Amino acid sequence: MTDTLCWCCKHAVPKTDRKGRYIAGCSWSMYHTPVKGWECSTEVVYNWGGKTITSYRVSKCPNFERG
Ligand code: SF4
Protein backbone atom coordinates (compact mmCIF):
# COMPACT_ATOMS: atom_id res chain seq x y z
CA MET A 1 0.00 0.00 0.00
CA THR A 2 1.41 3.41 -0.90
CA ASP A 3 0.84 6.79 0.65
CA THR A 4 -1.41 9.30 -0.97
CA LEU A 5 0.08 11.46 -3.71
CA CYS A 6 -1.00 14.51 -1.72
CA TRP A 7 1.93 14.13 0.69
CA CYS A 8 4.37 15.30 -1.99
CA CYS A 9 2.09 17.80 -3.75
CA LYS A 10 2.50 21.56 -3.44
CA HIS A 11 -1.29 21.97 -3.35
CA ALA A 12 -1.70 20.00 -0.13
CA VAL A 13 -1.21 23.21 1.85
CA PRO A 14 -3.14 26.20 0.49
CA LYS A 15 -1.08 29.37 0.12
CA THR A 16 -1.88 32.90 -0.98
CA ASP A 17 0.27 35.65 -2.40
CA ARG A 18 0.47 39.13 -0.87
CA LYS A 19 -2.76 40.11 -2.56
CA GLY A 20 -4.63 37.13 -1.16
CA ARG A 21 -4.76 35.21 -4.45
CA TYR A 22 -4.33 31.45 -4.18
CA ILE A 23 -1.02 30.25 -5.55
CA ALA A 24 -1.37 26.75 -4.10
CA GLY A 25 -4.31 24.65 -3.00
CA CYS A 26 -7.01 22.48 -4.53
CA SER A 27 -10.64 21.61 -3.88
CA TRP A 28 -9.50 18.80 -1.63
CA SER A 29 -7.08 20.74 0.55
CA MET A 30 -9.33 23.79 0.77
CA TYR A 31 -12.87 22.36 0.82
CA HIS A 32 -12.50 18.60 1.38
CA THR A 33 -14.12 18.04 -2.01
CA PRO A 34 -12.55 15.39 -4.29
CA VAL A 35 -10.68 16.79 -7.30
CA LYS A 36 -12.46 16.04 -10.57
CA GLY A 37 -10.58 13.32 -12.43
CA TRP A 38 -8.44 12.04 -9.59
CA GLU A 39 -8.00 8.33 -9.00
CA CYS A 40 -8.00 7.01 -5.47
CA SER A 41 -7.36 3.44 -4.48
CA THR A 42 -8.68 3.29 -0.95
CA GLU A 43 -11.14 5.16 1.14
CA VAL A 44 -10.03 5.73 4.70
CA VAL A 45 -12.48 6.64 7.42
CA TYR A 46 -11.16 7.63 10.81
CA ASN A 47 -12.36 9.28 13.94
CA TRP A 48 -11.03 12.74 14.79
CA GLY A 49 -12.18 13.92 18.19
CA GLY A 50 -15.52 12.15 17.90
CA LYS A 51 -16.07 13.34 14.33
CA THR A 52 -15.89 10.87 11.43
CA ILE A 53 -13.56 12.02 8.67
CA THR A 54 -13.44 10.43 5.22
CA SER A 55 -10.13 10.52 3.41
CA TYR A 56 -8.62 8.95 0.30
CA ARG A 57 -5.34 7.61 -0.98
CA VAL A 58 -4.92 9.49 -4.21
CA SER A 59 -2.91 7.62 -6.83
CA LYS A 60 -3.39 10.01 -9.78
CA CYS A 61 -4.53 13.60 -9.85
CA PRO A 62 -4.75 16.06 -12.76
CA ASN A 63 -3.78 18.94 -10.45
CA PHE A 64 -0.72 17.29 -8.92
CA GLU A 65 2.47 19.35 -8.83
CA ARG A 66 5.49 18.17 -6.91
CA GLY A 67 6.17 20.50 -4.05
S1 SF4 B 1 -3.92 18.66 -6.20
FE1 SF4 B 1 -4.42 16.47 -6.10
S2 SF4 B 1 -2.55 15.48 -5.41
FE2 SF4 B 1 -2.40 17.66 -4.94
S3 SF4 B 1 -3.13 17.88 -2.83
FE3 SF4 B 1 -4.85 18.26 -4.20
S4 SF4 B 1 -5.85 16.25 -4.39
FE4 SF4 B 1 -3.80 15.87 -3.60
Side-chain angles (χ1 to χ4, degrees), residues 4-6 9-12 25-29 35 38 58 61-65:
T4 182
L5 195 57
C6 302
C9 178
K10 77 178 226 179
H11 298 295
C26 67
S27 64
W28 179 246
S29 60
V35 172
W38 79 2
V58 178
C61 178
N63 294 353
F64 173 78
E65 286 186 78

PDB file of all heavy atoms in Angstrom, residues 4-6 9-12 25-29 35 38 58 61-65, ligand 1:
ATOM      1  N   THR A   4      -0.716   8.469  -0.007  1.00  0.00           N
ATOM      2  CA  THR A   4      -1.409   9.302  -0.975  1.00  0.00           C
ATOM      3  C   THR A   4      -0.437  10.257  -1.666  1.00  0.00           C
ATOM      4  O   THR A   4       0.534  10.731  -1.072  1.00  0.00           O
ATOM      5  CB  THR A   4      -2.538  10.097  -0.291  1.00  0.00           C
ATOM      6  OG1 THR A   4      -3.206  10.863  -1.267  1.00  0.00           O
ATOM      7  CG2 THR A   4      -2.026  10.998   0.819  1.00  0.00           C
ATOM      8  N   LEU A   5      -0.718  10.535  -2.919  1.00  0.00           N
ATOM      9  CA  LEU A   5       0.079  11.462  -3.715  1.00  0.00           C
ATOM     10  C   LEU A   5       0.128  12.846  -3.080  1.00  0.00           C
ATOM     11  O   LEU A   5       1.091  13.596  -3.246  1.00  0.00           O
ATOM     12  CB  LEU A   5      -0.569  11.544  -5.104  1.00  0.00           C
ATOM     13  CG  LEU A   5       0.166  12.136  -6.271  1.00  0.00           C
ATOM     14  CD1 LEU A   5       1.484  11.416  -6.521  1.00  0.00           C
ATOM     15  CD2 LEU A   5      -0.716  12.057  -7.505  1.00  0.00           C
ATOM     16  N   CYS A   6      -0.897  13.172  -2.321  1.00  0.00           N
ATOM     17  CA  CYS A   6      -0.999  14.511  -1.721  1.00  0.00           C
ATOM     18  C   CYS A   6       0.188  14.850  -0.826  1.00  0.00           C
ATOM     19  O   CYS A   6       0.544  16.020  -0.694  1.00  0.00           O
ATOM     20  CB  CYS A   6      -2.289  14.641  -0.924  1.00  0.00           C
ATOM     21  SG  CYS A   6      -3.779  14.334  -1.878  1.00  0.00           S
ATOM     22  N   CYS A   9       2.678  16.834  -2.815  1.00  0.00           N
ATOM     23  CA  CYS A   9       2.091  17.799  -3.751  1.00  0.00           C
ATOM     24  C   CYS A   9       2.098  19.200  -3.138  1.00  0.00           C
ATOM     25  O   CYS A   9       1.767  19.385  -1.969  1.00  0.00           O
ATOM     26  CB  CYS A   9       0.666  17.379  -4.079  1.00  0.00           C
ATOM     27  SG  CYS A   9      -0.188  18.528  -5.172  1.00  0.00           S
ATOM     28  N   LYS A  10       2.445  20.182  -3.950  1.00  0.00           N
ATOM     29  CA  LYS A  10       2.498  21.561  -3.435  1.00  0.00           C
ATOM     30  C   LYS A  10       1.117  22.108  -3.099  1.00  0.00           C
ATOM     31  O   LYS A  10       0.995  23.084  -2.363  1.00  0.00           O
ATOM     32  CB  LYS A  10       3.208  22.481  -4.427  1.00  0.00           C
ATOM     33  CG  LYS A  10       2.394  22.907  -5.610  1.00  0.00           C
ATOM     34  CD  LYS A  10       3.185  23.853  -6.488  1.00  0.00           C
ATOM     35  CE  LYS A  10       2.368  25.049  -6.898  1.00  0.00           C
ATOM     36  NZ  LYS A  10       3.113  25.997  -7.718  1.00  0.00           N
ATOM     37  N   HIS A  11       0.062  21.482  -3.609  1.00  0.00           N
ATOM     38  CA  HIS A  11      -1.292  21.971  -3.346  1.00  0.00           C
ATOM     39  C   HIS A  11      -1.907  21.419  -2.066  1.00  0.00           C
ATOM     40  O   HIS A  11      -3.031  21.768  -1.709  1.00  0.00           O
ATOM     41  CB  HIS A  11      -2.201  21.657  -4.540  1.00  0.00           C
ATOM     42  CG  HIS A  11      -1.748  22.347  -5.782  1.00  0.00           C
ATOM     43  ND1 HIS A  11      -1.758  23.714  -5.914  1.00  0.00           N
ATOM     44  CD2 HIS A  11      -1.218  21.858  -6.928  1.00  0.00           C
ATOM     45  CE1 HIS A  11      -1.272  24.050  -7.096  1.00  0.00           C
ATOM     46  NE2 HIS A  11      -0.936  22.941  -7.730  1.00  0.00           N
ATOM     47  N   ALA A  12      -1.165  20.577  -1.370  1.00  0.00           N
ATOM     48  CA  ALA A  12      -1.696  19.998  -0.130  1.00  0.00           C
ATOM     49  C   ALA A  12      -1.878  21.057   0.957  1.00  0.00           C
ATOM     50  O   ALA A  12      -2.712  20.902   1.848  1.00  0.00           O
ATOM     51  CB  ALA A  12      -0.767  18.894   0.370  1.00  0.00           C
ATOM     52  N   GLY A  25      -3.083  25.142  -3.624  1.00  0.00           N
ATOM     53  CA  GLY A  25      -4.310  24.651  -2.999  1.00  0.00           C
ATOM     54  C   GLY A  25      -5.176  23.983  -4.049  1.00  0.00           C
ATOM     55  O   GLY A  25      -4.992  24.194  -5.248  1.00  0.00           O
ATOM     56  N   CYS A  26      -6.096  23.161  -3.609  1.00  0.00           N
ATOM     57  CA  CYS A  26      -7.006  22.480  -4.531  1.00  0.00           C
ATOM     58  C   CYS A  26      -8.338  22.295  -3.803  1.00  0.00           C
ATOM     59  O   CYS A  26      -8.455  22.615  -2.621  1.00  0.00           O
ATOM     60  CB  CYS A  26      -6.428  21.131  -4.953  1.00  0.00           C
ATOM     61  SG  CYS A  26      -6.321  19.945  -3.601  1.00  0.00           S
ATOM     62  N   SER A  27      -9.317  21.772  -4.500  1.00  0.00           N
ATOM     63  CA  SER A  27     -10.639  21.607  -3.884  1.00  0.00           C
ATOM     64  C   SER A  27     -10.576  20.661  -2.693  1.00  0.00           C
ATOM     65  O   SER A  27     -11.325  20.812  -1.732  1.00  0.00           O
ATOM     66  CB  SER A  27     -11.653  21.105  -4.918  1.00  0.00           C
ATOM     67  OG  SER A  27     -11.297  19.820  -5.386  1.00  0.00           O
ATOM     68  N   TRP A  28      -9.622  19.741  -2.747  1.00  0.00           N
ATOM     69  CA  TRP A  28      -9.500  18.805  -1.632  1.00  0.00           C
ATOM     70  C   TRP A  28      -8.885  19.479  -0.412  1.00  0.00           C
ATOM     71  O   TRP A  28      -9.417  19.407   0.694  1.00  0.00           O
ATOM     72  CB  TRP A  28      -8.672  17.585  -2.065  1.00  0.00           C
ATOM     73  CG  TRP A  28      -8.487  16.588  -0.975  1.00  0.00           C
ATOM     74  CD1 TRP A  28      -7.336  16.228  -0.361  1.00  0.00           C
ATOM     75  CD2 TRP A  28      -9.526  15.823  -0.347  1.00  0.00           C
ATOM     76  NE1 TRP A  28      -7.587  15.292   0.605  1.00  0.00           N
ATOM     77  CE2 TRP A  28      -8.914  15.026   0.627  1.00  0.00           C
ATOM     78  CE3 TRP A  28     -10.896  15.738  -0.526  1.00  0.00           C
ATOM     79  CZ2 TRP A  28      -9.641  14.158   1.435  1.00  0.00           C
ATOM     80  CZ3 TRP A  28     -11.628  14.871   0.281  1.00  0.00           C
ATOM     81  CH2 TRP A  28     -10.989  14.087   1.246  1.00  0.00           C
ATOM     82  N   SER A  29      -7.761  20.147  -0.595  1.00  0.00           N
ATOM     83  CA  SER A  29      -7.078  20.740   0.552  1.00  0.00           C
ATOM     84  C   SER A  29      -7.838  21.941   1.115  1.00  0.00           C
ATOM     85  O   SER A  29      -7.715  22.254   2.294  1.00  0.00           O
ATOM     86  CB  SER A  29      -5.642  21.136   0.200  1.00  0.00           C
ATOM     87  OG  SER A  29      -5.611  22.081  -0.842  1.00  0.00           O
ATOM     88  N   VAL A  35     -11.063  16.115  -6.060  1.00  0.00           N
ATOM     89  CA  VAL A  35     -10.675  16.792  -7.299  1.00  0.00           C
ATOM     90  C   VAL A  35     -11.242  15.999  -8.479  1.00  0.00           C
ATOM     91  O   VAL A  35     -11.115  14.774  -8.534  1.00  0.00           O
ATOM     92  CB  VAL A  35      -9.131  16.873  -7.403  1.00  0.00           C
ATOM     93  CG1 VAL A  35      -8.706  17.387  -8.766  1.00  0.00           C
ATOM     94  CG2 VAL A  35      -8.577  17.754  -6.299  1.00  0.00           C
ATOM     95  N   TRP A  38      -9.480  12.759 -10.333  1.00  0.00           N
ATOM     96  CA  TRP A  38      -8.437  12.043  -9.590  1.00  0.00           C
ATOM     97  C   TRP A  38      -8.778  10.568  -9.522  1.00  0.00           C
ATOM     98  O   TRP A  38      -9.921  10.165  -9.757  1.00  0.00           O
ATOM     99  CB  TRP A  38      -8.194  12.658  -8.215  1.00  0.00           C
ATOM    100  CG  TRP A  38      -9.178  12.325  -7.107  1.00  0.00           C
ATOM    101  CD1 TRP A  38     -10.265  11.488  -7.185  1.00  0.00           C
ATOM    102  CD2 TRP A  38      -9.159  12.810  -5.772  1.00  0.00           C
ATOM    103  NE1 TRP A  38     -10.908  11.441  -5.973  1.00  0.00           N
ATOM    104  CE2 TRP A  38     -10.257  12.241  -5.078  1.00  0.00           C
ATOM    105  CE3 TRP A  38      -8.330  13.658  -5.072  1.00  0.00           C
ATOM    106  CZ2 TRP A  38     -10.531  12.503  -3.749  1.00  0.00           C
ATOM    107  CZ3 TRP A  38      -8.610  13.912  -3.738  1.00  0.00           C
ATOM    108  CH2 TRP A  38      -9.694  13.348  -3.089  1.00  0.00           C
ATOM    109  N   VAL A  58      -4.893   9.060  -2.807  1.00  0.00           N
ATOM    110  CA  VAL A  58      -4.923   9.490  -4.206  1.00  0.00           C
ATOM    111  C   VAL A  58      -3.730   8.888  -4.937  1.00  0.00           C
ATOM    112  O   VAL A  58      -2.589   9.015  -4.488  1.00  0.00           O
ATOM    113  CB  VAL A  58      -4.886  11.037  -4.284  1.00  0.00           C
ATOM    114  CG1 VAL A  58      -4.864  11.504  -5.721  1.00  0.00           C
ATOM    115  CG2 VAL A  58      -6.079  11.625  -3.538  1.00  0.00           C
ATOM    116  N   CYS A  61      -3.746  12.381  -9.986  1.00  0.00           N
ATOM    117  CA  CYS A  61      -4.528  13.600  -9.847  1.00  0.00           C
ATOM    118  C   CYS A  61      -4.126  14.584 -10.948  1.00  0.00           C
ATOM    119  O   CYS A  61      -2.920  14.825 -11.125  1.00  0.00           O
ATOM    120  CB  CYS A  61      -4.296  14.213  -8.473  1.00  0.00           C
ATOM    121  SG  CYS A  61      -5.186  15.765  -8.230  1.00  0.00           S
ATOM    122  N   PRO A  62      -5.092  15.134 -11.674  1.00  0.00           N
ATOM    123  CA  PRO A  62      -4.748  16.063 -12.759  1.00  0.00           C
ATOM    124  C   PRO A  62      -4.138  17.367 -12.251  1.00  0.00           C
ATOM    125  O   PRO A  62      -3.486  18.081 -13.019  1.00  0.00           O
ATOM    126  CB  PRO A  62      -6.096  16.313 -13.454  1.00  0.00           C
ATOM    127  CG  PRO A  62      -7.133  15.984 -12.443  1.00  0.00           C
ATOM    128  CD  PRO A  62      -6.533  14.918 -11.553  1.00  0.00           C
ATOM    129  N   ASN A  63      -4.313  17.688 -10.982  1.00  0.00           N
ATOM    130  CA  ASN A  63      -3.783  18.945 -10.447  1.00  0.00           C
ATOM    131  C   ASN A  63      -2.457  18.758  -9.701  1.00  0.00           C
ATOM    132  O   ASN A  63      -1.926  19.722  -9.153  1.00  0.00           O
ATOM    133  CB  ASN A  63      -4.794  19.581  -9.485  1.00  0.00           C
ATOM    134  CG  ASN A  63      -6.049  20.024 -10.196  1.00  0.00           C
ATOM    135  OD1 ASN A  63      -6.132  19.977 -11.415  1.00  0.00           O
ATOM    136  ND2 ASN A  63      -7.042  20.451  -9.441  1.00  0.00           N
ATOM    137  N   PHE A  64      -1.957  17.547  -9.683  1.00  0.00           N
ATOM    138  CA  PHE A  64      -0.724  17.286  -8.921  1.00  0.00           C
ATOM    139  C   PHE A  64       0.449  18.103  -9.452  1.00  0.00           C
ATOM    140  O   PHE A  64       0.687  18.169 -10.642  1.00  0.00           O
ATOM    141  CB  PHE A  64      -0.363  15.799  -8.983  1.00  0.00           C
ATOM    142  CG  PHE A  64       0.967  15.491  -8.378  1.00  0.00           C
ATOM    143  CD1 PHE A  64       1.119  15.409  -7.005  1.00  0.00           C
ATOM    144  CD2 PHE A  64       2.087  15.307  -9.182  1.00  0.00           C
ATOM    145  CE1 PHE A  64       2.351  15.140  -6.431  1.00  0.00           C
ATOM    146  CE2 PHE A  64       3.331  15.042  -8.630  1.00  0.00           C
ATOM    147  CZ  PHE A  64       3.456  14.943  -7.244  1.00  0.00           C
ATOM    148  N   GLU A  65       1.185  18.699  -8.510  1.00  0.00           N
ATOM    149  CA  GLU A  65       2.470  19.349  -8.827  1.00  0.00           C
ATOM    150  C   GLU A  65       3.386  19.039  -7.665  1.00  0.00           C
ATOM    151  O   GLU A  65       3.028  19.291  -6.506  1.00  0.00           O
ATOM    152  CB  GLU A  65       2.324  20.869  -8.943  1.00  0.00           C
ATOM    153  CG  GLU A  65       1.639  21.326 -10.202  1.00  0.00           C
ATOM    154  CD  GLU A  65       1.673  22.846 -10.320  1.00  0.00           C
ATOM    155  OE1 GLU A  65       2.730  23.389 -10.693  1.00  0.00           O
ATOM    156  OE2 GLU A  65       0.652  23.458 -10.017  1.00  0.00           O
TER     157      GLU A  65
HETATM  158  S1  SF4 B   1      -3.920  18.659  -6.199  1.00  0.00           S
HETATM  159 FE1  SF4 B   1      -4.424  16.473  -6.105  1.00  0.00          FE
HETATM  160  S2  SF4 B   1      -2.554  15.479  -5.410  1.00  0.00           S
HETATM  161 FE2  SF4 B   1      -2.399  17.661  -4.938  1.00  0.00          FE
HETATM  162  S3  SF4 B   1      -3.131  17.879  -2.834  1.00  0.00           S
HETATM  163 FE3  SF4 B   1      -4.849  18.255  -4.198  1.00  0.00          FE
HETATM  164  S4  SF4 B   1      -5.851  16.253  -4.390  1.00  0.00           S
HETATM  165 FE4  SF4 B   1      -3.798  15.875  -3.597  1.00  0.00          FE
END
